[in-house]
């Protein structure tokens, strides 16, 4: 968590240890979503009002859904993205997955 937060702060020109100002609030919210929330759980819209990890109708994308024995078990969390066999084969660390997820949020603007 600390490494990803430090990376995000550095990339946004912020001091390590916390985000500041309006940009900081947006970055903090995006980071919390990526690290702590299920995909599709946020009610905050971006990209023309679309909800994160959802289709145009606000339904969570199937590829962002945790499936167990063919059942929808909610949105994927960071660990679920990391546990994907393709990710494991690539050799990237969970911090890299978090950084990529973070970049797909409004954080990319900072």
């Amino acid at each position: 968590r600390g490494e990803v937060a430090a990376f995000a702060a550095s990339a946004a020109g912020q001091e390590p240890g916390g985000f500041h100002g309006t940009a900081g609030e947006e970055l903090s919210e995006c980071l919390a979503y990526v690290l702590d929330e299920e995909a599709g759980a946020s009610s905050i819209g971006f990209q023309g009002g679309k909800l994160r990890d959802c289709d145009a109708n606000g339904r969570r994308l199937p590829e962002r859904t945790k499936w167990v024995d063919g059942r929808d078990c909610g949105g994927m969390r960071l660990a679920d993205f990391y546990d994907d066999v393709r990710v494991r084969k690539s050799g990237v660390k969970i911090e890299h997955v978090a950084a990529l997820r973070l970049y797909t949020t409004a954080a990319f603007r900072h």
Side-chain angles (χ1 to χ4, degrees), residues 12-36:
Q14 301 262 338
E15 291 296 319
F19 300 116
H20 308 286
T22 304
E25 290 172 18
E26 187 170 57
L27 284 166
S28 291
E29 190 283 326
C30 290
L31 185 60
Y33 175 75
V34 166
L35 297 179
D36 303 324

Side-chain angles (χ1 to χ4, degrees), residues 3-4 6 8 15 17 21 23 27 33 35 37 40-41 43 54-55 64 77 81 96 99 103 105 109:
E3 290 178 4
V4 175
E15 291 296 319
L27 284 166
Y33 175 75
L35 297 179
E37 302 295 327
S43 61
C54 294
D55 65 17
R64 302 288 191 271
R77 293 183 174 271
F81 285 100
H96 300 134
Y103 189 74
T105 69
R109 293 191 289 237

Side-chain angles (χ1 to χ4, degrees), residues 28-103:
S28 291
E29 190 283 326
C30 290
L31 185 60
Y33 175 75
V34 166
L35 297 179
D36 303 324
E37 302 295 327
E38 289 185 3
S42 175
S43 61
I44 297 174
F46 74 110
Q47 292 181 334
K50 291 181 185 174
L51 299 179
R52 293 180 215 170
D53 297 307
C54 294
D55 65 17
N57 297 312
R59 289 186 298 264
R60 186 179 56 246
L61 295 167
E63 61 270 21
R64 302 288 191 271
T65 300
K66 183 174 181 174
W67 299 97
V68 176
D69 297 326
R71 288 183 338 188
D72 177 343
C73 292
M76 294 171 68
R77 293 183 174 271
L78 179 59
D80 299 315
F81 285 100
Y82 180 65
D83 285 339
D84 184 282
V85 67
R86 296 165 295 182
V87 174
R88 292 299 184 128
K89 282 184 176 181
S90 74
V92 300
K93 297 178 181 179
I94 196 166
E95 294 89 348
H96 300 134
V97 176
L100 289 169
R101 290 274 298 148
L102 182 63
Y103 189 74

